[in-house]
């Protein structure tokens, strides 16, 4: 899969990161922000885009962005929580619920 066909943008108006694949909406990661904390609440990759590693690309992007912004990460979303358990490099920024 070529990385140039995957696009992820933060949409603060909708409180989510939006994932596109080859120009089509493929999923999102919903969040709440308050006082330097980002709470990931729900992550979706649409069924027709599953099995391409897009969920992992989305998780890596959103967590990297949160760390770069100096935010504490609270993973209420089971997908984000599972990703964090497999990628300990984020542990210093995580507050487990």
């Amino acid at each position: 899969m070529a990385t140039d066909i995957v696009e992820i943008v933060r949409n603060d108006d909708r409180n989510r990161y939006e994932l596109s694949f080859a120009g089509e909406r493929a999923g999102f990661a919903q969040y709440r922000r308050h006082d330097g904390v980002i709470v990931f609440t729900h992550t979706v990759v649409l069924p027709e885009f599953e099995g391409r590693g897009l969920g992992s690309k989305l998780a890596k992007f959103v967590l990297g962005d949160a760390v770069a912004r100096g935010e504490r990460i609270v993973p209420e979303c089971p997908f984000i929580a599972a990703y964090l358990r497999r990628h300990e490099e984020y542990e210093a920024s995580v507050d487990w619920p």
Side-chain angles (χ1 to χ4, degrees):
M1 171 173 46
T3 57
D4 60 336
I5 57 177
V6 175
E7 182 183 17
I8 302 168
V9 296
R10 187 179 65 242
N11 183 338
D12 289 328
D13 291 338
R14 297 187 77 185
N15 293 314
R16 66 188 196 174
Y17 289 84
E18 298 172 337
L19 168 69
S20 297
F21 179 78
E24 295 185 52
R25 190 179 125 218
F28 62 88
Q30 196 79 35
Y31 61 80
R32 291 189 316 265
R33 275 198 170 99
H34 58 85
D35 301 326
V37 174
I38 185 166
V39 180
F40 288 101
T41 58
H42 189 57
T43 302
V44 171
V45 173
L46 299 176
E48 59 268 33
F49 296 99
E50 291 178 352
R52 302 177 194 202
L54 296 176
S56 292
K57 287 184 184 298
L58 179 58
K60 182 177 180 179
F61 182 92
V62 305
L63 295 170
D65 189 55
V67 169
R69 293 164 61 93
E71 295 174 312
R72 299 296 302 166
I73 299 164
V74 177
E76 288 182 357
C77 166
F79 182 84
I80 296 293
Y83 186 91
L84 285 167
R85 285 187 191 95
R86 292 189 312 272
H87 296 86
E88 296 178 3
E89 64 267 27
Y90 299 102
E91 188 61 35
S93 296
V94 177
D95 293 329
W96 291 96

